[in-house]
Amino acid sequence: MTATDSGERALEDRFEAVVGADQRVEPRDWMPEAYRATLVRQIAQHAHSEIIGMQPEGNWLTRAPSLRRKAILLAKAQDEAGHGLYLYAAAETLGVDRAELTEKLIDGRQKYSSIFNYPTLTFADVGVIGWLVDGAAICNQVPLCRCSYGPYARAMVRICKEESFHQRQGYELLMTLMRGTEAQRAMVQDAVDRWWWPSLMMFGPPDGDSPNTERSMAWRIKRHTNDELRQRFVDMTVPQAQHLGVTLPDPALAWNEERGGWDFGEPDWSELKQVIKGNGPCNAERVERRRAAHEDGAWVREAALAHAEKKRRSAQ
Ligand SMILES: [Fe+2]
Ligand SMILES: [Fe+2]
């Protein structure tokens, strides 16, 4: 059946009504092509970030300072793999194929979060990533639990619970180091100095420079602007830094009584642009490792397909 103009109109009206009433759009429902394309791009980028995000911390798995720290870090990395899987599955409900998304990541046609292009130089980085990077991810992701697209919103509920564990393990690791030696405290401060600004950049460019925000908010994919989420993160994190006993590397940081929030300095947006363009400290290494893992795993995919084919034949 070809949709007539009035038929198309009715479908659009229904979509708008569902979104407007804060109900969920489901895979079988009609949706505007641009809505579908926006979600595919966002969910794929999110899934890629979970998978690539295992690399910076995975770097420390073989050198964790104790069995306990190793078990915790391993559990966290496995959680991130799980997040990637839920999210690729959510993307597939929009009619794309996971293999195709992986190809696009490896070819550089799709992005992942800029934060994972920075190196992890000491074990304190594991703690700071949990505290700041997972903390920023929580600020970004909690509102996504109310995203208008059902499969994405539902995936986010479980992901957020696990992210909250990640943040706590990071903070607990840092508290332990801060109770240690002078050298351990210096290691924490150094990691905070390196990760603070990249963490603020995780919320994306400033609102004036974020052309897609308005439409994503109208579709209720996004609930808050980049700058609102960044502010929320700073307000949440400053008291935690004080309790921990570290200094955030921003001389402009000051409590604003009038606004009831923290004023803070401007991140170096030219650095973010460079990292997004592929010129961050570890971009090439991250994608190369992902490509190698994908190629090394080819035999597993081939074996699974051969096994499925054999089962299909024997069932005939
Ligand atoms: Fe995650
Ligand atoms: Fe996480």
Side-chain angles (χ1 to χ4, degrees):
M1 191 188 81
T2 48
T4 61
D5 278 358
S6 67
E8 183 102 350
R9 193 66 252 159
L11 289 169
E12 256 179 63
D13 287 348
R14 187 166 175 278
F15 170 83
E16 294 293 343
V18 166
V19 169
D22 252 340
Q23 290 170 344
R24 300 282 167 264
V25 178
E26 296 298 336
R28 63 181 174 277
D29 296 338
W30 182 90
M31 60 189 87
E33 250 338 287
Y35 176 83
R36 183 188 301 273
T38 298
L39 277 168
V40 168
R41 183 171 42 79
Q42 180 171 336
I43 300 174
Q45 178 165 332
H46 194 164
H48 297 329
S49 302
E50 302 284 356
I51 299 296
I52 294 272
M54 289 192 285
Q55 290 186 34
E57 289 175 287
N59 182 35
W60 283 94
L61 275 174
T62 55
R63 291 171 292 161
S66 68
L67 184 59
R68 177 170 175 266
R69 290 294 169 197
K70 183 168 178 153
I72 294 170
L73 186 54
L74 199 54
K76 181 186 190 259
Q78 285 174 334
D79 283 354
E80 306 299 8
H83 298 172
L85 291 182
Y86 311 151
L87 289 165
Y88 283 124
E92 286 192 322
T93 66
L94 292 159
V96 289
D97 180 59
R98 181 180 160 190
E100 176 194 324
L101 299 178
T102 302
E103 288 299 329
K104 284 185 174 164
L105 167 68
I106 291 172
D107 292 351
R109 282 177 289 154
Q110 280 180 343
K111 307 270 181 219
Y112 55 91
S113 175
S114 55
I115 193 75
F116 301 119
N117 292 309
Y118 292 87
T120 40
L121 304 182
T122 70
F123 201 75
D125 288 34
V126 171
V128 170
I129 288 176
W131 175 39
L132 296 180
V133 175
D134 289 277
I138 291 169
C139 286
N140 261 329
Q141 292 174 6
V142 165
L144 289 173
C145 297
R146 294 185 297 125
C147 159
S148 59
Y149 188 58
Y152 192 28
R154 288 188 290 273
M156 291 321 299
V157 174
R158 176 161 171 185
I159 290 177
C160 284
K161 287 189 178 144
E162 292 177 349
E163 295 304 352
S164 145
F165 154 71
H166 297 170
Q167 197 201 18
R168 280 151 187 255
Q169 70 81 34
Y171 198 74
E172 190 267 345
L173 196 170
L174 296 177
M175 286 296 280
T176 306
L177 283 170
M178 291 303 282
R179 283 193 299 263
T181 64
E182 203 47 60
Q184 285 173 316
R185 277 188 286 278
M187 195 163 86
V188 173
Q189 183 62 56
D190 169 65
V192 170
D193 291 345
R194 285 181 289 108
W195 288 93
W196 174 249
W197 292 107
S199 299
L200 290 188
M201 293 179 202
M202 282 176 71
F203 297 93
D207 291 351
D209 204 11
S210 176
N212 299 324
T213 290
E214 205 181 324
R215 198 158 67 161
S216 280
M217 284 180 68
W219 278 332
R220 304 207 179 170
I221 295 173
K222 236 176 136 156
R223 298 281 175 161
H224 310 280
T225 71
N226 296 353
D227 287 335
E228 283 165 9
L229 292 167
R230 200 171 355 255
Q231 180 71 52
R232 191 178 283 195
F233 173 70
V234 172
D235 290 345
M236 177 182 93
T237 308
V238 171
Q240 295 172 352
Q242 289 168 339
H243 182 71
L244 193 59
V246 294
T247 308
L248 296 173
D250 179 358
L253 206 59
W255 176 251
N256 185 322
E257 191 63 56
E258 214 172 294
R259 284 196 308 116
W262 288 88
D263 289 336
F264 56 97
E266 191 82 6
D268 178 358
W269 299 119
S270 64
E271 177 181 319
L272 178 64
K273 278 189 188 143
Q274 282 304 314
V275 177
I276 289 176
K277 261 201 221 157
N279 302 325
C282 301
N283 291 61
E285 180 188 329
R286 300 288 186 241
V287 173
E288 204 31 59
R289 182 174 283 195
R290 183 69 195 88
R291 177 199 299 278
H294 187 63
E295 286 168 4
D296 286 350
W299 71 272
V300 179
R301 295 188 293 278
E302 282 160 19
L305 283 174
H307 180 69
E309 176 63 17
K310 201 166 121 189
K311 273 188 106 176
R312 192 187 62 81
R313 268 201 226 121
S314 67
Q316 273 174 353

